[in-house]
């Protein structure tokens, strides 16, 4: 028997969709991937999710979503879709272990950190190079780290790192940050945070572990080496849509194209969250889109018995 609904992705969009589906008496299967909660699951503090005036730990918030989805009957499997066939009915969703069938699908696979693609980045990944301060920050107690990027992620995670490190040196390609004003104020007031402006990282240096980062000033072309034990890279996100290529319409950057009601180019397949909307990338926006996707999917199922 096919599932009425398979939700691919276990972040705020996917889990909110599961809550709404469950409340509509649909038992959705959620393929939550290896990291429960998606990006929010590895976020230290979420200060802008409504209902938490003092902020909330991202993992706790994600686990709350998950518990609520399970409470309403969602079946959650920590597995990822490796192949889909959305050209047949019921739809086919394969993981490495199983093949599932579904009458409707919600794509909520989110986005993952973009890499710089510079020498040393791949070689030293996990040996000083990281994209997750919450996961790896404690390894850098009393050490110096470079944080590449000037957006919310770089500054938020950089501030988190200051709990452990001696110094967090932010290398940013312009002379002003993209991060929110509130984060900027906190960053500029943080004595452990230093800024290297107008500079790009050109190479991660190291032996067995990272020993530094070679940077180039884009205005003067001057190159120099910053001694550091770690390099945290936060230069934006890439939508996780590889398995959907050729199955549903994607825009040139790889994001899923939907109409105003989260409907993709294939009737019965909906999308929500960072995989579909690069403009906001907020937990609350993803959760809202997940709710809309589930409501639309339920309407679709009712009209296609
Ligand atoms: P982002 O906002 O796209 O920022 C990426 C940063 O990396 C920018 O400063 C960009 O520089 C820089 N960059 C991009 N490519 C680069 C390259 N090749 N070399 C050097 N620098 C490069 O990405 P994000 O910070 O990951 O945030 C993603 C989304 O999540 C945003 O919408 C953000 O608001 C949201 N978010 C929110 C929170 C929060 O609310 N607390 C926390 C984390 C993330 P330019 O500035 O020059 O473009």
């Amino acid at each position: 028997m096919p599932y009425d609904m398979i939700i691919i992705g276990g972040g705020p969009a996917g889990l909110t969709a599961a809550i709404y589906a469950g409340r509509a008496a649909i038992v959705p299967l959620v393929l939550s991937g290896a990291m429960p909660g998606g990006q929010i699951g590895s976020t230290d503090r979420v200060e802008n999710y409504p209902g938490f005036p003092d902020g909330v730990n991202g993992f706790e918030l994600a686990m709350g979503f998950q518990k609520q989805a399970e409470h309403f009957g969602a079946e959650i499997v920590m597995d990822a879709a490796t192949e889909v066939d959305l050209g047949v009915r019921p739809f086919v969703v394969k993981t490495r272990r199983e093949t599932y069938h579904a009458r409707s699908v919600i794509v909520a696979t989110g986005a993952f950190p973009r890499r710089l693609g510079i020498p040393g980045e791949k070689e030293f990944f996990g040996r000083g190079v990281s994209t997750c301060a919450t996961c790896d920050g404690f390894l850098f107690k009393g050490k110096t780290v470079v944080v590449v990027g000037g957006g919310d992620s770089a500054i938020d995670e950089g501030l988190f790192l200051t709990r452990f490190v001696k110094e967090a040196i932010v290398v940013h390609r312009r002379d002003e940050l993209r991060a929110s004003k509130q984060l900027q104020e906190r960053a500029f007031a943080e004595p452990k945070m230093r800024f290297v402006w107008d500079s790009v990282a050109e190479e991660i240096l190291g032996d067995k572990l990272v020993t530094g980062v070679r940077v180039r000033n884009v205005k003067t072309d001057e190159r120099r080496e910053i001694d550091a034990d770690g390099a945290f890279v936060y230069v934006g996100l890439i939508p996780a849509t590889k398995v959907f290529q050729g199955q549903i319409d994607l825009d040139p950057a790889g994001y899923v194209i939907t109409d105003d009601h989260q409907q993709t180019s294939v009737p019965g397949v909906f999308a929500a969250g960072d995989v579909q909307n690069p403009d906001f990338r907020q937990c609350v926006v993803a959760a809202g889109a997940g709710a809309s996707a589930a409501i639309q999917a339920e309407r679709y199922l009712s009209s296609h018995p």
Side-chain angles (χ1 to χ4, degrees):
M1 281 290 284
Y3 283 89
D4 280 333
M5 185 186 292
I6 291 184
I7 298 168
I8 309 175
L15 291 172
T16 306
I19 293 167
Y20 274 72
R23 298 256 305 153
I26 295 166
V27 176
L29 171 71
V30 181
L31 297 175
S32 71
M35 278 272 286
Q39 292 170 71
I40 206 77
S42 59
T43 301
D44 175 47
R45 205 101 208 116
V46 180
E47 291 182 332
N48 49 13
Y49 197 80
F52 297 92
D54 301 321
V56 57
N57 172 265
F59 187 73
E60 259 174 51
L61 182 61
M63 288 304 98
F65 287 149
Q66 184 160 321
K67 211 168 150 193
Q68 201 169 348
E70 284 171 331
H71 174 74
F72 290 119
E75 190 184 320
I76 298 182
V77 174
M78 272 179 69
D79 206 351
T82 51
E83 198 184 325
V84 296
D85 187 348
L86 306 177
V88 294
R89 306 297 165 115
F91 302 120
V92 179
V93 178
K94 291 184 183 177
T95 70
R96 253 178 292 175
R97 294 195 287 263
E98 297 283 348
T99 297
Y100 301 100
H101 297 90
R103 294 174 58 219
S104 69
V105 167
I106 295 180
V107 177
T109 42
F112 57 89
R114 186 202 304 274
R115 302 282 168 88
L116 282 164
I118 58 173
E121 187 186 35
K122 202 170 164 191
E123 295 86 321
F124 293 109
F125 202 88
R127 293 192 287 138
V129 176
S130 173
T131 54
C132 181
T134 320
C135 321
D136 300 329
F138 71 97
L139 298 170
F140 296 87
K141 210 167 174 212
K143 302 197 168 168
T144 297
V145 296
V146 162
V147 176
V148 185
D152 282 334
S153 298
I155 302 309
D156 209 17
E157 301 271 307
L159 282 165
F160 176 76
L161 284 168
T162 59
R163 294 184 196 179
F164 310 99
V165 301
K166 187 170 70 184
E167 191 177 31
I169 303 167
V170 177
V171 172
H172 182 37
R173 65 183 178 182
R174 293 186 291 133
D175 62 0
E176 63 177 335
L177 298 174
R178 177 179 295 277
S180 71
K181 289 283 171 268
Q182 192 207 13
L183 278 173
Q184 291 195 31
E185 276 169 24
R186 281 174 55 201
F188 294 141
E190 170 53 58
K192 285 190 189 173
M193 208 171 229
R194 179 158 74 81
F195 294 85
V196 175
W197 300 111
D198 300 315
S199 297
V200 290
E202 282 198 329
E203 185 175 358
I204 310 289
L205 308 165
D207 175 7
K208 286 195 176 78
L209 300 170
V210 167
T211 56
V213 179
R214 192 194 321 279
V215 300
R216 179 174 59 87
N217 184 301
V218 292
K219 287 189 173 155
T220 64
D221 240 8
E222 183 199 339
R223 288 183 169 79
R224 69 183 174 103
E225 287 176 15
I226 300 174
D227 292 338
D229 307 287
F232 285 79
V233 179
Y234 298 106
V235 291
L237 301 167
I238 294 176
T241 48
K242 206 169 161 198
V243 295
F244 304 106
Q245 278 169 7
Q247 297 283 333
I248 47 177
D249 287 353
L250 307 177
D251 75 9
Y255 290 90
V256 181
I257 298 171
T258 67
D259 66 10
D260 290 348
H261 290 75
Q262 314 305 133
Q263 169 70 63
T264 71
S265 55
V266 175
V269 179
F270 303 83
D274 285 3
V275 74
Q276 165 261 331
N277 187 341
D279 288 337
F280 302 109
R281 283 176 166 152
Q282 300 297 307
C283 186
V284 66
V285 176
S292 304
I295 292 168
Q296 283 304 116
E298 195 270 323
R299 287 175 183 162
Y300 169 85
L301 289 169
S302 303
S303 58
H304 295 78

